[in-house]
């Protein structure tokens, strides 16, 4: 039995089968499956969720951008930004908690939640974008750390002499060098594993907490002071600003309440609400730091909701207090012109410096290790094939060290951006899109009303999910419309790419639950009492004995359904009382696999019965649901000719094309050899028949009694160009229609229900893709030598009927006096209850003469005699008329299907 950790089967998007490359999964195998791997799940709620989440949410904003936000936006707008940001992430957290408490979670965090809820296409595309966002965030935090280091230790670019501790040379390439060194340090820590990382994070959290306490203490202990801040501009221009720290002051608080957006000294661009919010929201991109460690947690379904909620409340309180503190103690110039002003006003500046370094470094490590876990999960699922195959390799302790190397390499590319704010908006947009996807996953699960969606966390509803989606999307476009549009386009491209290139998964699709929910609702609305002939369409039940000899007929009927119901029916002979289990249930996968291979839009319905006739009655009664039930039964012809084996002719069923045909396909446990072996070989002349002629004709009679239209197909194994890869458009095809009952020459009614049904079915075929450009010919049989010349009037009447029915066809007049003369007179017919062989041969010769070149022929199928003794004679007559004709569909209609009204 496949489980949630089962990788996608067959091939990835590169078309190559990939294995774990010797790596070990983060799932401990079941007992008896071999030597178990070391269980990497060692972290509890505090170390695995709370610590990394708190540090990720503090990151660079806490120490390096608090003044930037309050200075430009003002205290009121700054607090509004915090409230809005935390409202958005709180709605997402509710969704995270609901999903994470609804079942076991493996490694991959947000990717695992989304992919197992929405399917591999959506999960893979969002997972890849979330991975890239984590990589960019890692580079962003490293750039922020280097910026803080150079504020203290960076030498003056215009001076060749180092002064004091300012010994580090500055410049673009020096910045890249320092960033690379910091990234290397993060790499070493992450390579050791999540356990060491969590212990390192705990030490860092202690240092950051001490730094925060020193800042709050400094606001009371440090006396007011003034500063002169200088900035170098291009052209050796030096700008000087007088700034001051006032301590707690009502005047300072009042001056900082309103916004004061101005020039940002690091980017030389004027700030706005959206640009400041983009930087500020960086502090909220860490809420999934704990979820990303899901593969390392002892109990992720308990730890993720509890730890994330506590961490969010804690960081919210810290940010609000810090915003109030700096808004009441520092003037706007100090806040805007010095990112590291907290060091200036600290009672002991090294404490703040250590806090800045620790917060930035821990956020970078958290992003790196979180990204590596997402990449590892993507690689295990084989969504992207060979390029990510090495990322499945893990150490003996379960650490995906190759995925860490991937992440480090990409983060190294990000640091070439050189400026922290250059990637802030992009990172924020990517995170918001990922949060919207998590909300969407929870919303879909809630709307699907699946009985197995029973999360232990109940503080959510579809309203919170929907509000979370809308909030994320709105803020994305507020921050940067161009990045938002581009990210959505990229998401759609990835989604389409994975949809067409990745194989089907065995995880379960939320789309199937949603479709079921909607289909049930609309089926209840489809009221059979409101049916109208104007909207009639064929709803077909095609009885198939052996698909090996019926594939061409199956493909042809697929063109004839016109958007209606199409069901392949099969009767398995047997008695359930004498069997240990129902053999039919095991056959469905084989039949559905056949439908996939043929590319037809059909359902499958199988039944077990003592006879084929009784089983067909069952299917006619119970197939379908509500207003979607078959109104037309189609049978293959009953004759003694040896059928051909379609499986030996079509390349899709041949071993030579097995690998090519299975690319991007998941076979649901039925591979091509199994499919070929399941269906028995075609019958030979000596093979026993499971259906007698009397029973076959009885099936036709039963269907007519049940008010079902009946079609009988013959010689369709000769029809070519119906497979899904065929480029035939019908331009060289001809459809011949004979609407008269040829076995009853005395009947001259071309407008009875059966004739009109025959015309309608021919017209439906002419509207399908492969027959759209085919020519339709209608043959009218007339007795020209008769003294009654009413056929001329009938012809004009028929032409008028075609015009009213909007049927485009050419009418051919066929004199058949020579044929009718072989027909018995009514009194002789009544005596013998038979048609002469000469008459049947003459009718067949007439059809051969006029329709030998047609691609398909539509003939009138007479109603069988109510006398069972006449069944063999009836079948012999139909067989003689259609002998050697080529693909022919004999039709008997019982329901009105045409309308001349609007």
């Amino acid at each position: 039995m496949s489980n949630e950790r089962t990788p996608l089967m067959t091939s990835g998007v590169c078309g190559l089968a990939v294995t774990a490359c010797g790596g070990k999964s983060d799932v401990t195998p079941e007992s008896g499956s071999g030597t178990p791997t070391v269980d990497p799940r060692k972290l509890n709620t505090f170390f695995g969720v709370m610590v990394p989440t708190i540090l990720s949410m503090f990151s660079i904003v806490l120490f390096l951008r608090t003044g930037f936000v309050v200075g430009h936006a003002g205290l009121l707008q700054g607090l509004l930004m915090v409230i809005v940001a935390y409202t958005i992430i709180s709605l997402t957290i509710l969704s995270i908690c609901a999903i994470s408490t609804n079942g076991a979670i493996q490694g991959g965090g947000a990717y695992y939640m989304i992919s197992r809820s929405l399917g591999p296409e959506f999960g893979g595309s969002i997972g890849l974008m979330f991975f890239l966002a984590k990589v960019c965030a890692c580079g962003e935090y490293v750039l922020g750390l280097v910026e803080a280091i150079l504020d203290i230790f960076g030498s003056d670019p215009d001076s060749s002499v180092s002064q004091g501790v300012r010994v580090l040379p500055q410049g673009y390439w020096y910045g890249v060098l320092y960033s690379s060194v910091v990234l290397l340090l993060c790499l070493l820590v992450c390579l050791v594993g999540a356990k060491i990382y969590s212990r390192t994070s705990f030490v860092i959290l202690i240092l950051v907490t001490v730094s925060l306490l020193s800042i709050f203490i400094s606001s009371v202990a440090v006396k007011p002071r003034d500063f002169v801040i200088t900035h170098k501009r291009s052209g050796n221009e030096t700008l000087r600003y007088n700034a001051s720290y006032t301590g707690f002051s009502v005047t300072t608080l009042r001056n900082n309440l309103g916004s004061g957006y101005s020039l940002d000294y690091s980017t030389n661009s004027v700030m706005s609400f959206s640009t400041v919010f983009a930087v500020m929201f960086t502090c909220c991109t860490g809420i999934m730091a704990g979820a990303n460690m899901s593969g390392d947690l002892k109990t992720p379904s308990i730890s993720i909701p509890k730890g994330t909620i506590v961490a969010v409340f804690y960081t919210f309180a810290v940010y609000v207090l810090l915003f109030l503190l700096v808004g009441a103690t520092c003037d706007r110039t100090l806040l805007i012109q010095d990112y590291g002003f907290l060091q200036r006003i600290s009672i002991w500046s090294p404490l703040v410096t250590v806090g800045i370094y620790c917060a930035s470094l821990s956020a970078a490590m958290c992003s790196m290790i979180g990204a590596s876990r997402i990449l590892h999960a993507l690689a295990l699922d084989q969504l992207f094939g060979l390029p990510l195959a090495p990322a499945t390799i893990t150490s003996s302790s379960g650490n995906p060290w190759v995925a860490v190397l991937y992440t480090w390499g990409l983060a190294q590319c990000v640091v070439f951006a050189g400026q922290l704010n250059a990637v802030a908006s992009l990172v924020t947009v990517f995170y918001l899109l990922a949060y919207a996807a998590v909300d969407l996953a929870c919303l879909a699960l809630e709307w699907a009303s699946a009985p197995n969606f029973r999360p232990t966390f109940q503080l959510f509803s579809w309203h919170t999910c929907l509000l979370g989606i809308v909030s994320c999307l709105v803020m994305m476009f507020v921050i940067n419309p161009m990045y938002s549009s581009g990210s959505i386009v990229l998401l759609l491209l990835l989604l389409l790419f994975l949809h067409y290139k990745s194989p089907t998964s065995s995880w379960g699709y939320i789309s199937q639950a949603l479709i079921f929910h909607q289909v049930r609702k609309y089926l209840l609305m489809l009221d059979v009492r409101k049916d109208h002939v104007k909207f009639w369409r064929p709803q077909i039940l095609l009885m198939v004995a052996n698909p090996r000899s019926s594939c061409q007929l199956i493909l042809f009927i697929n063109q004839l359904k016109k958007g209606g119901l199409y069901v392949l029916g099969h009767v398995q002979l047997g008695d359930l009382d004498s069997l240990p289990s129902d053999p039919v249930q095991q056959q469905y996968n084989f039949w559905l696999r056949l439908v996939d291979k043929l590319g037809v839009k059909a359902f499958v319905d199988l039944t077990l019965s003592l006879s084929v006739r009784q089983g067909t009655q069952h299917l006619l009664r119970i197939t379908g649901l509500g207003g979607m039930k078959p109104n037309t039964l189609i049978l293959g012809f009953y004759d003694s000719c040896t059928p051909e084996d379609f499986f030996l002719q079509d390349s899709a069923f041949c071993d030579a094309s097995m690998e090519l045909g299975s690319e991007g396909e998941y076979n649901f446990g039925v591979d091509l050899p199994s499919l070929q072996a399941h269906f028995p070989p075609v019958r030979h002349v000596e093979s026993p028949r499971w259906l007698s002629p009397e029973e076959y004709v009885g099936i036709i009679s039963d269907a007519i009694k049940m008010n079902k239209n009946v079609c009988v197909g013959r010689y369709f194994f000769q029809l070519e160009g119906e497979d899904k890869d065929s480029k035939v458009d019908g331009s060289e095809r001809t459809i011949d229609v004979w609407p008269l009952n040829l076995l009853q020459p005395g009947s001259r009614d071309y407008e009875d229900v059966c004739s009109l049904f025959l015309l309608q079915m021919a017209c439906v075929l002419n509207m399908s893709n492969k027959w759209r450009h085919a020519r339709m010919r209608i043959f009218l049989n007339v007795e020209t030598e008769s003294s009654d010349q009413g056929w001329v009037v009938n012809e004009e009447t028929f032409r008028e009927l075609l015009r009213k029915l909007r049927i485009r066809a050419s009418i051919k007049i066929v004199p058949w006096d020579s044929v009718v003369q072989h027909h018995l007179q009514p009194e002789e017919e009544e005596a013998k209850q038979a048609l002469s062989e000469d008459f049947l041969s003459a009718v067949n010769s007439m059809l051969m003469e006029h329709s030998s070149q047609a691609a398909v022929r539509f003939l009138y199928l007479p109603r069988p005699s109510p006398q069972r003794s006449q069944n063999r004679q009836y079948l012999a007559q139909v067989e003689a008329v259609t002998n050697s004709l080529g693909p022919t569909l004999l039709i008997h209609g019982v329901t009105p299907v045409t309308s001349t009204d609007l």
Side-chain angles (χ1 to χ4, degrees), residues 549-553 556 635-644 696 712-720 722 844 847-848 854-857 859 878-890:
S549 58
S550 308
C551 286
Q552 289 289 18
L553 181 59
F556 174 76
L635 305 170
F637 198 77
Y638 189 96
D639 55 21
S640 58
C641 69
T642 302
E644 297 186 19
Y696 177 82
V712 176
R714 189 178 191 189
Y715 293 122
F716 275 94
F717 63 87
Q718 300 177 4
L719 186 64
E720 298 180 353
E722 292 299 299
N844 178 255
L847 293 172
M848 291 287 290
V856 67
R857 301 143 195 85
L859 302 183
V878 176
E879 182 178 3
V881 168
T882 59
N883 184 42
S884 302
L885 268 185
T888 303
L889 196 67
L890 298 110

Side-chain angles (χ1 to χ4, degrees), residues 608-640:
L608 183 71
S609 179
L610 295 175
S611 69
V612 177
R613 182 177 181 180
Q614 187 182 55
T616 304
Q617 290 179 10
H618 293 167
L619 291 177
L620 281 172
R621 293 183 187 279
I622 66 176
T623 297
L625 195 64
M628 294 189 69
K629 296 184 74 67
N631 55 31
T632 303
L633 173 67
I634 299 183
L635 305 170
F637 198 77
Y638 189 96
D639 55 21
S640 58

